[in-house]
Amino acid sequence: MLSKPSTSSVPSHVTFQFLKFFANHGNLGRARQLFDQIPEPNLHSWTILINAYTKWGIPKESIKLYFGLRKKEIEPDKFVLLSVAKACAACSDLSRGIRVHEDAIRFGFVETDLVLGNALINMYGKCGSAEGAQKVFDDMPMKDVISWTSIAASYVNCGLPGEALRVFREMGLSRVRPNSVAVSTVLPACSDLKALNLGREIHGLVVRNWQGENVFVSSGLVDMYAKCSSIRQARMVFDSMTRRDIVSWNVILTTYFSNGDCEEALKLFDSMKGEGISANPASYNAMIGGCIHNGLNERALELLAQMQGLGFKPNQITITSVLPACANLESLRGGMEIHGYGIRHWFVEDIIVATALLLMYAKCGNLEGARRIFDYMPRKDTVAWNTMILANSMHGHGEEALSLFREMIDLGIKPNSVTFTGVLSGCSHSRLVDESLASFNSMSRDHGIKPDADHYSCIVDVLGRAGRLIEAYEFIQKMPVEPSAGAWGALLGSCRVYKNVELGRIAANHLFEIEPDNPGNYILLSNIFVNAELWDDASKIRKMMRDRGITKTPGCSWIQVKDRVYTFVAGDKKTAQSDKIYRFLDELSEKLRLAGYIPDFDFALQDVDQEEKEEGLGGHSEKLAVAFGIMNLNKGSSIRVFKNLRICGDCHNFFKFTAKIVGVQIMVRDSMRFHHFRDGFCSCNDFW
């Protein structure tokens, strides 16, 4: 039996042929092994391996090899330079790309090799250097359609759509006819600039040059018309396409969602099957995101189930898109299921997915879960910090929001406008007046951030909640921006709490001008008058509402039990277990009275913006929901209730006693904030 010859005994030309074979077929490990066994590899051997690493998607190794070649003072040819330029483009390595360009100049290839010049333009564009791309372009004595397309694409990639359009015009003046690639490259620039007239000119060029059959060009035209708010023309281009791929379908679906026409988007999605087009994960991601953007949260979850039923696996984009639906529906159970899926598929390592999970837990009332997500994030950007700060603010943990903000600054994370909205909001809900003013003053002084209307409104709110109404009013008068409804609304709400009739009247009159159809402003002012026993003034406000056709928003509360959401309205006697709920409330009220609870009947009279006053305190929607939740605890120790309006003072007191007597934790999220009732106390310290 003959023994296998050793590699060292194989002639060099045979080794070279095996190197070429393995490199061309993607067996890079074996190719590299053979290359390393060549005592003095020549330029051709280097080129084969560098080309292979670039071709098979390992550009960093290709770049590393090239500089190994240069270290040995081997002079590169245009082929190896072309390959390594593509590798630098693939991994956006500008510093090494510049050195490759310098080598191309040194060895005289830029002025003589058109293909290499085009590759260098593309490399600079992919690395975000428009100046470098333009320099290569200017130094090239010969330019073809690829050269012009590459420089236009570089400007688009560098976020300079105006320059891309300039290049496209110069291309025409140079008598170079743009091909379909050039057109599909420059159409996004028209979309970004909403340059409808130029987009129409390009459309005419497409028709004249018979490029309309190209699916990329047609999809680009659809997107251009859509971004320019010309939906009818976008649909006309789409309908005229003789061949539509999944990309063009996704573009038109996104178009309708972006313009709020959900019905047409859903109809089109259903019609895809009729044309033999199978939806893919990108289609479902577009549909899920579009539904959520337009408030169709339940439909988004249905689409997720449909997607999985067809065998498609949700990816990071899907998870990030669908989590807001769980947050908007306050579906903690659904959000936790998606979290579990993310853990199983290692998606939670993604910072965007983790931030979406953080927000979902916070909005569903589980601040502890949000904090766990935040603490386990390996990397946190400004958005993640902002989300955690806002989460604590909405739960009334102003001190923690401030602590997070300080930690963020100490770590060198740069805050933005949203950061301060969260910090100031947290201070407002926790009566941290001095801290709020200090943070507000530091915005422009220390961080170069100009306060906007929301920030000014937060300061009005924090001053008003602290009872400093005159100071709040004077602050509004000195604001350098036009006071918003938020500022006047914060003052009006404080006037109701502190029974300041005159300032309340002033604030309400401004609100009647800014948002004349908002019923809450009329009702708040009416309640201020009723509390001050100014019955005629209160009657006038009610008459004003009737004359203007303004009706108050009905109060409702909802709670999720197992997989179902139960909704209650004031005095509701038609929902599940209504008889049992009222009997339970009667029995519970007796126990609470013995413990010291005294019903506050003022809220049956005054808080008509919260509930139908004739139904009485016992029929408030939040009480019905809490009672239903307690009755269906099933060995649980906490319940979560959500309400569309502000919780009334009597219900707030009722839940403090209930939490202590029944021994449960009650969380109620109203229109203002989260309230956590436990052992006879509320997390808001009776300040909301």
Side-chain angles (χ1 to χ4, degrees):
M1 185 175 178
L2 295 173
S3 61
K4 185 178 179 180
S6 65
T7 307
S8 59
S9 67
V10 179
S12 61
H13 70 278
V14 177
T15 304
F16 177 80
Q17 291 301 323
F18 275 118
L19 168 65
K20 188 175 181 180
F21 174 83
F22 287 124
N24 288 340
H25 288 80
N27 191 341
L28 300 184
R30 187 71 180 109
R32 183 57 183 266
Q33 195 175 40
L34 289 169
F35 177 83
D36 290 340
Q37 291 170 357
I38 301 174
E40 293 294 334
N42 59 17
L43 176 62
H44 201 16
S45 301
W46 284 94
T47 303
I48 287 173
L49 197 56
I50 289 170
N51 281 338
Y53 277 120
T54 300
K55 174 184 175 182
W56 296 103
I58 312 177
K60 289 185 178 179
E61 196 62 31
S62 178
I63 295 168
K64 184 178 177 182
L65 269 174
Y66 174 75
F67 286 100
L69 173 151
R70 295 294 295 121
K71 196 171 183 180
K72 291 182 177 293
E73 298 184 353
I74 298 174
E75 185 175 317
D77 61 13
K78 63 182 181 181
F79 300 108
V80 73
L81 286 167
L82 177 64
S83 182
V84 78
K86 291 179 180 178
C88 290
C91 57
S92 300
D93 192 336
L94 179 59
S95 61
R96 288 185 174 85
I98 291 172
R99 292 168 65 184
V100 172
H101 182 198
E102 290 170 348
D103 282 352
I105 294 172
R106 182 180 299 112
F107 297 109
F109 291 119
V110 172
E111 295 183 358
T112 60
D113 194 273
L114 183 63
V115 177
L116 177 58
N118 292 340
L120 287 169
I121 294 172
N122 180 64
M123 181 274 296
Y124 276 113
K126 292 287 178 61
C127 293
S129 175
E131 298 85 357
Q134 186 67 55
K135 185 179 187 311
V136 176
F137 183 80
D138 292 339
D139 289 345
M140 292 168 62
M142 296 286 293
K143 302 175 181 71
D144 61 4
V145 66
I146 298 175
S147 312
W148 286 96
T149 303
S150 297
I151 186 65
S154 295
Y155 279 119
V156 170
N157 191 63
C158 293
L160 298 168
E163 288 298 299
L165 294 179
R166 175 188 62 78
V167 166
F168 189 73
R169 291 191 191 95
E170 289 181 7
M171 180 181 181
L173 294 172
S174 299
R175 299 186 181 280
V176 177
R177 176 179 289 184
N179 58 18
S180 57
V181 177
V183 171
S184 58
T185 295
V186 82
L187 277 172
C190 296
S191 300
D192 291 342
L193 294 172
K194 295 182 171 49
L196 179 59
N197 290 335
L198 182 56
R200 284 175 174 153
E201 290 179 24
I202 295 174
H203 189 181
L205 180 70
V206 167
V207 173
R208 290 193 298 275
N209 289 300
W210 300 94
Q211 293 174 348
E213 298 296 311
N214 185 290
V215 69
F216 297 106
V217 171
S218 297
S219 295
L221 285 168
V222 172
D223 182 66
M224 182 275 296
Y225 280 122
K227 295 284 177 57
C228 294
S229 301
S230 186
I231 310 305
R232 186 178 63 85
Q233 287 179 286
R235 183 60 184 268
M236 285 174 61
V237 174
F238 180 78
D239 288 341
S240 68
M241 293 171 67
T242 55
R243 183 172 66 89
R244 304 186 188 110
D245 65 359
I246 193 65
V247 174
S248 54
W249 276 97
N250 291 348
V251 168
I252 195 66
L253 290 171
T254 303
T255 296
Y256 279 111
F257 275 125
S258 298
N259 286 273
D261 194 346
C262 307
E263 185 177 343
E264 189 62 28
L266 291 166
K267 190 189 301 181
L268 270 173
F269 186 67
D270 291 337
S271 70
M272 285 174 65
K273 297 176 183 177
E275 295 204 10
I277 302 292
S278 298
N280 64 3
S283 306
Y284 275 100
N285 289 344
M287 292 296 296
I288 289 169
C291 284
I292 293 171
H293 180 71
N294 288 277
L296 302 177
N297 298 294
E298 292 176 345
R299 185 75 169 101
L301 293 176
E302 290 171 6
L303 285 166
L304 175 65
Q306 185 183 115
M307 174 185 183
Q308 291 179 289
L310 291 171
F312 295 126
K313 290 185 176 180
N315 55 23
Q316 288 101 318
I317 297 173
T318 318
I319 299 303
T320 306
S321 298
V322 81
L323 277 169
C326 298
N328 295 337
L329 294 170
E330 290 96 17
S331 177
L332 182 60
R333 181 187 291 264
M336 291 176 71
E337 289 176 0
I338 294 172
H339 185 189
Y341 178 90
I343 291 172
R344 292 193 297 275
H345 292 82
W346 300 94
F347 292 154
V348 293
E349 300 295 320
D350 184 282
I351 189 171
I352 299 175
V353 172
T355 304
L357 279 166
L358 193 166
L359 183 61
M360 180 278 297
Y361 275 109
K363 292 186 76 172
C364 289
N366 190 338
L367 186 60
E368 296 80 8
R371 184 68 204 220
R372 283 195 296 272
I373 294 291
F374 183 76
D375 289 341
Y376 281 121
M377 290 174 71
R379 184 174 67 86
K380 305 176 183 75
D381 59 6
T382 301
V383 177
W385 282 95
N386 287 352
T387 305
M388 196 66 226
I389 289 170
L390 286 165
N392 278 279
S393 294
M394 70 174 73
H395 283 266
H397 294 183
E399 291 280 8
E400 181 62 20
L402 269 173
S403 176
L404 283 163
F405 171 66
R406 290 164 183 153
E407 184 181 351
M408 174 185 180
I409 299 301
D410 289 342
L411 290 171
I413 308 296
K414 189 174 181 179
N416 58 20
S417 176
V418 178
T419 313
F420 283 96
T421 299
V423 171
L424 295 175
S425 175
C427 291
S428 173
H429 285 297
S430 302
R431 275 189 180 173
L432 301 173
V433 181
D434 293 338
E435 293 85 346
S436 176
L437 292 171
S439 297
F440 178 81
N441 292 330
S442 74
M443 288 181 65
S444 55
R445 184 190 65 222
D446 300 333
H447 305 286
I449 299 171
K450 186 178 179 181
D452 60 24
D454 287 339
H455 301 121
Y456 284 103
S457 297
C458 285
I459 295 298
V460 175
D461 193 41
V462 75
L463 291 171
R465 287 173 182 271
R468 295 157 64 168
L469 302 185
I470 301 299
E471 192 176 343
Y473 178 54
E474 290 174 349
F475 183 84
I476 291 177
Q477 291 179 306
K478 295 176 183 177
M479 284 167 53
V481 298
E482 187 68 25
S484 65
W488 289 114
L491 181 60
L492 180 61
S494 299
C495 288
R496 177 175 180 264
V497 173
Y498 292 101
K499 301 177 174 57
N500 190 314
V501 176
E502 292 310 312
L503 276 182
R505 198 190 299 268
I506 292 171
N509 286 333
H510 282 285
L511 288 166
F512 295 160
E513 292 180 8
I514 298 172
E515 43 181 27
D517 297 325
N518 185 346
N521 299 325
Y522 297 88
I523 293 165
L524 268 177
L525 182 60
S526 174
N527 287 345
I528 291 173
F529 289 149
V530 168
N531 192 65
E533 298 184 357
L534 298 172
W535 310 112
D536 289 342
D537 288 329
S539 179
K540 287 177 184 177
I541 296 298
R542 298 292 178 176
K543 184 178 184 300
M544 187 188 300
M545 289 182 67
R546 289 193 299 271
D547 293 344
R548 296 182 180 182
I550 299 170
T551 56
K552 60 183 176 59
T553 304
C556 69
S557 301
W558 57 96
I559 183 172
Q560 182 172 358
V561 176
K562 295 182 179 178
D563 293 327
R564 184 177 170 186
V565 175
Y566 296 85
T567 303
F568 300 86
V569 296
D572 202 339
K573 294 182 179 174
K574 296 180 180 179
T575 54
Q577 305 179 37
S578 59
D579 291 339
K580 292 181 180 179
I581 290 172
Y582 280 99
R583 282 199 300 271
F584 176 82
L585 279 173
D586 288 340
E587 294 171 2
L588 180 59
S589 296
E590 288 302 317
K591 293 179 182 178
L592 299 188
R593 282 190 179 92
L594 292 174
Y597 161 70
I598 301 174
D600 189 343
F601 291 105
D602 283 345
F603 288 95
L605 173 66
Q606 295 177 32
D607 264 355
V608 289
D609 57 316
Q610 308 292 316
E611 304 292 348
E612 294 288 343
K613 66 179 181 180
E614 62 270 17
E615 296 295 342
L617 294 175
H620 282 197
S621 65
E622 59 265 53
K623 280 183 184 170
L624 300 177
V626 166
F628 183 76
I630 294 172
M631 291 165 56
N632 291 274
L633 266 175
N634 192 23
K635 298 181 180 180
S637 60
S638 63
I639 59 173
R640 290 179 170 85
V641 170
F642 301 86
K643 187 181 179 184
N644 67 330
L645 300 176
R646 188 184 182 204
I647 186 174
C648 90
D650 176 71
C651 288
H652 190 273
N653 197 33
F654 185 90
F655 295 149
K656 286 197 300 182
F657 279 91
T658 301
K660 183 175 183 180
I661 297 301
V662 180
V664 296
Q665 296 178 24
I666 302 171
M667 188 220 74
V668 179
R669 193 228 64 198
D670 66 5
S671 61
M672 301 295 290
R673 61 176 293 161
F674 282 89
H675 300 264
H676 297 267
F677 299 95
R678 184 181 307 174
D679 299 327
F681 297 95
C682 179
S683 59
C684 75
N685 295 317
D686 299 334
F687 183 75
W688 78 99

